[in-house]
Amino acid sequence: MVFSSVLFLFRFLPIFMICYFLVPRKMKNLVLFLGSLVFYAWGEPVYIFLMLFSTISDYVWGRLIEEYRGKDRSRIFLLCSIVINLFILGFFKYADFLMQTVNTVFGTSIPLLKLPLPIGISFYTFQTMSYVIDVYRGDTKAQRNILQFGVYVTMFPQLIAGPILKYHQVERYLQDRRTDLDAISYGVKRFVTGLAKKVLLANNLGLLWKQVAELGNEQMSILMAWLGIAAFALQIYFDFSGYSDMAIGLGAVLGFHFPENFNYPYIAASVKDFWHRWHISLSTWFKEYVYIPLGGNRKGLPRQLFNILVVWMLTGIWHGAGWNFLFWGLWFAFFLILEKLFLGDILESVPKVFGRIYTLAVVLISWVFFALESPGEILAYLQAMFGMNGIGPVNSLAMFLCNEYLVLLVIALVACLPLGSRLVHALKSSKTGPAMALYRLGEKVIPAVLLLLSVAYIVDASYNPFLYFRFRPGRRNRIWMIKEIR
């Protein structure tokens, strides 16, 4: 079940919200927990037991760590929790990839397991690991109420694609949360904004990328290649940030405050800046639970560069079981190391426009590694981007697609920049009557129009993927999608 579906919007969500707001405050956690299990079980009825096992396991480890704090047993319990979590994640996500690699290198024929990847396992595994580590560090107290801990792990708004929550960020909301009309109004608007990003922008940009990706190298002009990867870059941004908006909006309606996960990443003036703006909860997780424990920048420059390399190898592999994801992580590690050595100082001394051009070029090329799987496909696409396939800068098909998608691309480019939010802030802050009247009118009309258009699109369209549900091994799942059945 995905948020941008008829099933979720007109069946699950209304029934859940009616139940949630009708029950007494003491029962809201129970309704949220049971509703989240139904939501997850709808698409993954078997793997719900795996998620419950992870929940119970880390609840127990957290209690044991706190009970034996300061003793050797506490460290053993932490190690047990980490090993179990990483084993589960590794088995389901990377077993076939490793066996495939062994078969290729050594010429063996080990049969693949071909297990479907549990949806959201990378996200909820990182959440439970961060909880146990924080309990061990003394940064948070172990949760004694297993229902509250279960809600933290299984909460459906952010269960399958984040943002990744640390326990202390939602602890007080799990114990006692209140909502009011302002919070509900904000949440609904935020959800509608995310829904519009997803179905009106991401889905249609995905169609453009699909058309370009299916072309042979002999038809790929320079303009076509850059147009295609720009469409993918915009698609994955609106897809994932749209999902985060919907999660944050639903959380607000339910009385939670989730952290922001995106901050206009395509205006970044360095690769380091980009990763302060893109998937913020993930980069923060790796910084706090991998980079800093490895030594961070406290043990000299060589060790710091090594730590950066390790973190970005793991970041790449986290995104998917494939060599292309590892190369994607190493690509960013290379430029982050350059920025640490000397490039960062250069970027700070020149106008920001140069840094933004450099960063955008690095990021767009990185999406080629992310979107395509085989080295042959990646190399062929990169050759087309730089005119090394003999086609030339422009062809008629490229011009046709530019004209066909011009309006969509212009809207998407404007929407991924902070221009709209600045305009809204200026109108809201204005003391003049017309500006305030325009703001109040837009505040009511725009969400209603976006919702109407989004619902019309969902009812009519069948192409409805969520890109961040595609982290599965195997070529046939390279662009894996969950599709709404009409």
Side-chain angles (χ1 to χ4, degrees):
M1 194 187 309
V2 295
F3 290 169
S4 56
S5 67
V6 172
L7 174 63
F8 178 81
L9 292 173
F10 297 107
R11 297 179 190 176
F12 175 84
L13 190 59
I15 293 172
F16 170 80
M17 287 298 179
I18 290 170
C19 295
Y20 183 83
F21 284 106
L22 283 181
V23 300
R25 183 175 293 116
K26 292 182 178 180
M27 293 185 63
K28 290 190 185 300
N29 276 341
L30 178 61
V31 172
L32 179 53
F33 179 69
L34 294 176
S36 297
L37 294 185
V38 171
F39 175 87
Y40 191 85
W42 197 272
E44 298 280 7
V46 175
Y47 287 141
I48 191 173
F49 298 105
L50 182 65
M51 183 174 64
L52 290 174
F53 171 79
S54 294
T55 302
I56 296 170
S57 172
D58 285 311
Y59 170 79
V60 172
W61 294 124
R63 292 287 302 273
L64 289 172
I65 288 170
E66 186 163 81
E67 183 175 346
Y68 291 93
R69 185 179 305 282
K71 300 179 180 179
D72 290 340
R73 290 184 186 181
S74 178
R75 183 174 297 179
I76 293 172
F77 294 143
L78 171 66
L79 183 62
C80 289
S81 171
I82 293 174
V83 168
I84 290 172
N85 277 301
L86 292 181
F87 174 79
I88 293 173
L89 181 61
F91 178 77
F92 283 96
K93 192 165 185 175
Y94 304 107
D96 277 359
F97 170 66
L98 292 175
M99 287 188 287
Q100 242 176 359
T101 302
V102 170
N103 287 341
T104 301
V105 173
F106 296 102
T108 55
S109 55
I110 302 172
L112 303 183
L113 300 175
K114 297 183 179 179
L115 293 172
L117 180 68
I119 297 173
I121 188 171
S122 297
F123 290 90
Y124 71 72
T125 299
F126 270 28
Q127 282 198 184
T128 58
M129 284 178 64
S130 70
Y131 162 77
V132 175
I133 294 170
D134 284 349
V135 172
Y136 175 79
R137 291 173 172 175
D139 294 337
T140 190
K141 293 183 178 180
Q143 174 58 258
R144 296 185 174 274
N145 186 319
I146 193 169
L147 176 60
Q148 290 183 17
F149 185 72
V151 170
Y152 163 67
V153 178
T154 66
M155 194 164 20
F156 77 88
Q158 51 75 232
L159 171 63
I160 49 182
I164 300 169
L165 300 177
K166 286 176 283 189
Y167 181 72
H168 72 82
Q169 293 175 317
V170 294
E171 181 179 12
R172 68 186 182 94
Y173 302 113
L174 292 170
Q175 296 171 355
D176 182 31
R177 59 186 177 275
R178 301 173 186 274
T179 189
D180 53 33
L181 289 178
D182 289 339
I184 293 173
S185 174
Y186 167 78
V188 170
K189 292 172 185 174
R190 190 69 184 265
F191 180 86
V192 170
T193 299
L195 184 66
K197 282 183 178 181
K198 168 72 188 75
V199 300
L200 300 181
L201 296 177
N203 283 4
N204 288 295
L205 288 162
L207 292 173
L208 173 56
W209 162 245
K210 186 179 179 182
Q211 291 181 62
V212 174
E214 289 176 349
L215 291 175
N217 199 36
E218 67 281 355
Q219 296 178 281
M220 190 84 67
S221 65
I222 296 174
L223 176 61
M224 177 74 73
W226 284 95
L227 176 67
I229 206 60
F232 180 84
L234 291 168
Q235 179 197 8
I236 199 169
Y237 168 69
F238 288 116
D239 184 278
F240 195 18
S241 70
Y243 190 98
S244 294
D245 286 339
M246 287 187 275
I248 292 169
L250 287 173
V253 172
L254 300 177
F256 291 87
H257 177 74
F258 296 161
E260 296 294 334
N261 213 19
F262 289 85
N263 182 24
Y264 301 105
Y266 290 141
I267 67 168
S270 67
V271 172
K272 180 181 178 180
D273 186 26
F274 176 81
W275 281 103
H276 286 162
R277 296 170 176 273
W278 179 281
H279 204 343
I280 299 169
S281 62
L282 178 66
S283 55
T284 301
W285 196 97
F286 273 108
K287 177 182 178 181
E288 293 188 8
Y289 300 105
V290 180
Y291 178 72
I292 293 176
L294 284 174
N297 60 359
R298 304 186 306 275
K299 297 186 177 182
L301 182 60
R303 180 60 180 269
Q304 183 182 10
L305 300 182
F306 173 78
N307 294 341
I308 292 172
L309 181 65
V310 171
V311 165
W312 284 96
M313 287 175 64
L314 294 175
T315 302
I317 293 172
W318 181 88
H319 279 86
W323 290 107
N324 60 312
F325 291 108
L326 177 60
F327 296 148
W328 180 77
L330 291 173
W331 174 260
F332 279 114
F334 174 74
F335 285 98
L336 287 167
I337 289 172
L338 286 184
E339 290 180 10
K340 179 60 63 176
L341 291 174
F342 65 90
L343 190 55
D345 293 334
I346 295 175
L347 293 174
E348 289 182 1
S349 65
V350 300
K352 277 193 174 182
V353 63
F354 295 107
R356 286 171 176 159
I357 293 171
Y358 144 77
T359 305
L360 192 58
V362 170
V363 171
L364 286 176
I365 293 171
S366 80
W367 290 133
V368 178
F369 293 98
F370 197 92
L372 303 174
E373 180 178 318
S374 73
E377 290 176 311
I378 293 169
L379 181 59
Y381 202 94
L382 290 174
Q383 287 175 337
M385 289 176 69
F386 293 97
M388 299 171 63
N389 61 346
I391 302 303
V394 182
N395 58 9
S396 58
L397 184 56
M399 294 305 300
F400 171 78
L401 289 178
C402 283
N403 291 330
E404 188 78 6
Y405 286 92
L406 178 62
V407 174
L408 174 65
L409 289 168
V410 170
I411 293 173
L413 287 172
V414 172
C416 75
L417 300 175
L419 301 175
S421 63
R422 289 173 182 171
L423 176 61
V424 170
H425 179 73
L427 291 173
K428 188 177 180 180
S429 304
S430 177
K431 297 180 180 180
T432 61
M436 182 56 66
L438 182 61
Y439 167 75
R440 289 175 178 170
L441 178 64
E443 190 180 30
K444 294 178 176 60
V445 172
I446 293 176
V449 171
L450 291 178
L451 179 61
L452 181 63
L453 291 174
S454 299
V455 169
Y457 184 93
I458 291 169
V459 171
D460 181 64
S462 59
Y463 182 75
N464 190 32
F466 260 122
L467 285 189
Y468 258 68
F469 294 169
R470 69 185 275 276
F471 303 144
R472 302 193 173 209
R475 190 180 192 286
R476 65 189 181 87
N477 292 311
R478 187 188 74 198
I479 308 179
W480 178 72
M481 311 166 191
I482 292 178
K483 294 183 179 179
E484 168 65 10
I485 301 174
R486 293 195 297 169

